[in-house]
Amino acid sequence: MTSLESLALSRGTVDRVTHRRNDKQWLDAAWADPRTRVLVVSDGRALVRFDDEHVGLIFVSPAEAPAGIRFLLGQDADGVVYFGVSADLPAALSPSPAPSPVGTVRAASLREVGVLLGDRDAGLFTHAVALANWHDTHTHCPLDGTPTIPDPGGHSTRCPADGTEHFPRTDPAVIMLVTDPDDRCLLARNAAWPGRRVSILAGFVEPGESAEQAVIREVAEETQIKVTNVRYVGSQPWPMPRSLMLGFRAEAPAGQAIVVDRDEIAEAHWFSREELLAAIKTREIALPPPVSIARHIIESWFGGPLPSTWTETQGPVSPGR
Ligand SMILES: [Zn+2]
């Protein structure tokens, strides 16, 4: 099996120019350049233009950008610099959908447009949502409660009282497709999900634990299945609010019965490829949307694209834990 390709939120093309983040002079010059593009993010959403042939982010110039915490996203091959700003969406274009000769502009989330955007925009949006979520929720020093001050590039903050530096949080989560000796795939319905939705198992990596150990622990906790031969297959950021999804395959030796943890999992079953396709066609189950790494891992096992998705706005919100 090959590694996963074309994960919707792992496609960024813009150089993050990390060496510029504390270069105040360079940052000031970039902000003064009218070619610079600013992506405004509010509550995980940005303005997006939809037309017949293209879905793309709406950027504003620095002069048009609203006041808010600013962070450097990077610089493209043409030298254009991109910033993000966490603030209310620009008033001129928000909140109502604005029909125009070049399509419709409205606020949209990564979950909704992650697969529709081009590589550059998908990467910029993912990066900006992750940083905006961090800034929005990490405003004070965890040691003494003093309001922190963002560094010039917006990728860290500093406490003015004790000088401690603070960096963005990313929570690693594992998501794994388990197969039995007949190469059937284990799919489960989370107790929190309505209807017919199923997916592969997932959970957060705990402190002091490797990702592979988390795979083994989570599968056992949720289904009492013991797995071996845990292999990494790829990763995707999922900044809703701050996860990094680490994809794995694992094998369940024969002779084990599924016993679900009812608090987390409503039901779990083995599916052969034929059974999976039949269950989708009869609408007995529905799979996660193409923006998710879960969908890619399932299709990688299946050997090609599968029909059926959840509604794009309804999940998965976070890994089950
Ligand atoms: Zn402090």
Side-chain angles (χ1 to χ4, degrees):
M1 187 195 58
T2 56
S3 286
L4 302 178
E5 289 171 9
S6 300
L7 290 163
L9 307 186
S10 302
R11 295 180 289 140
T13 59
V14 171
D15 185 341
R16 293 186 174 221
V17 290
T18 57
H19 60 294
R20 299 295 192 188
R21 286 180 189 160
N22 286 305
D23 187 341
K24 184 88 167 53
Q25 200 176 355
W26 186 91
L27 290 163
D28 287 345
W31 191 257
D33 185 341
R35 285 203 311 155
T36 291
R37 305 284 81 194
V38 182
L39 181 65
V40 183
V41 173
S42 175
D43 203 16
R45 307 204 304 166
L47 290 177
V48 176
R49 184 187 306 283
F50 299 79
D51 67 32
D52 292 343
E53 283 152 23
H54 183 69
V55 175
L57 296 173
I58 298 284
F59 299 94
V60 297
S61 68
E64 296 167 321
I69 291 181
R70 178 199 309 174
F71 37 86
L72 175 66
L73 296 175
Q75 185 173 33
D76 69 18
D78 298 325
V80 175
V81 178
Y82 296 85
F83 285 90
V85 169
S86 177
D88 290 342
L89 298 179
L93 295 166
S94 171
S96 60
S100 79
V102 285
T104 300
V105 172
R106 62 177 172 82
S109 69
L110 261 185
R111 194 176 275 125
E112 182 185 2
V113 298
V115 292
L116 305 175
L117 295 170
D119 291 353
R120 183 201 69 176
D121 284 7
L124 288 170
F125 197 4
T126 304
H127 192 182
V129 166
L131 278 173
N133 284 346
W134 175 64
H135 280 298
D136 291 350
T137 55
H138 292 72
T139 54
H140 291 68
C141 174
L143 302 179
D144 60 15
T146 305
T148 49
I149 299 167
D151 73 13
H155 280 255
S156 66
T157 60
R158 186 176 292 276
C159 172
D162 59 24
T164 53
E165 234 186 328
H166 306 282
F167 294 91
R169 286 276 308 276
T170 295
D171 295 345
V174 290
I175 183 160
M176 47 278 180
L177 185 141
V178 178
T179 50
D180 76 357
D182 297 325
D183 203 23
R184 295 183 302 171
C185 149
L186 182 61
L187 295 175
R189 185 162 64 81
N190 190 295
W193 297 340
R196 308 158 286 119
R197 297 171 193 180
V198 297
S199 189
I200 53 179
L201 300 176
F204 287 104
V205 180
E206 295 201 334
E209 183 178 51
S210 74
E212 289 81 359
Q213 289 172 321
V215 169
I216 293 166
R217 176 183 53 75
E218 282 285 343
V219 175
E221 279 178 10
E222 297 185 347
T223 63
Q224 295 201 14
I225 298 287
K226 290 184 168 48
V227 295
T228 59
N229 197 12
V230 176
R231 295 104 70 201
Y232 173 75
V233 295
S235 71
Q236 166 165 274
W238 190 255
M240 282 80 86
R242 57 178 169 269
S243 296
L244 172 64
M245 305 304 297
L246 305 166
F248 287 88
R249 292 279 304 262
E251 290 169 16
Q256 304 188 70
I258 297 170
V259 181
V260 297
D261 167 10
R262 292 271 170 203
D263 289 340
E264 292 191 44
I265 304 292
E267 53 183 324
H269 303 285
W270 297 108
F271 288 84
S272 69
R273 290 172 180 78
E274 296 72 27
E275 287 164 345
L276 178 64
L277 202 52
I280 292 169
K281 285 180 173 168
T282 58
R283 297 177 172 271
E284 193 184 324
I285 61 168
L287 295 181
V291 70
S292 67
I293 187 173
R295 177 62 169 256
H296 284 257
I297 296 174
I298 294 168
E299 291 186 340
S300 170
W301 161 80
F302 183 78
L306 282 160
S308 159
T309 67
W310 303 354
T311 53
E312 302 292 336
T313 53
Q314 288 185 321
V317 173
S318 64
R321 62 181 310 180

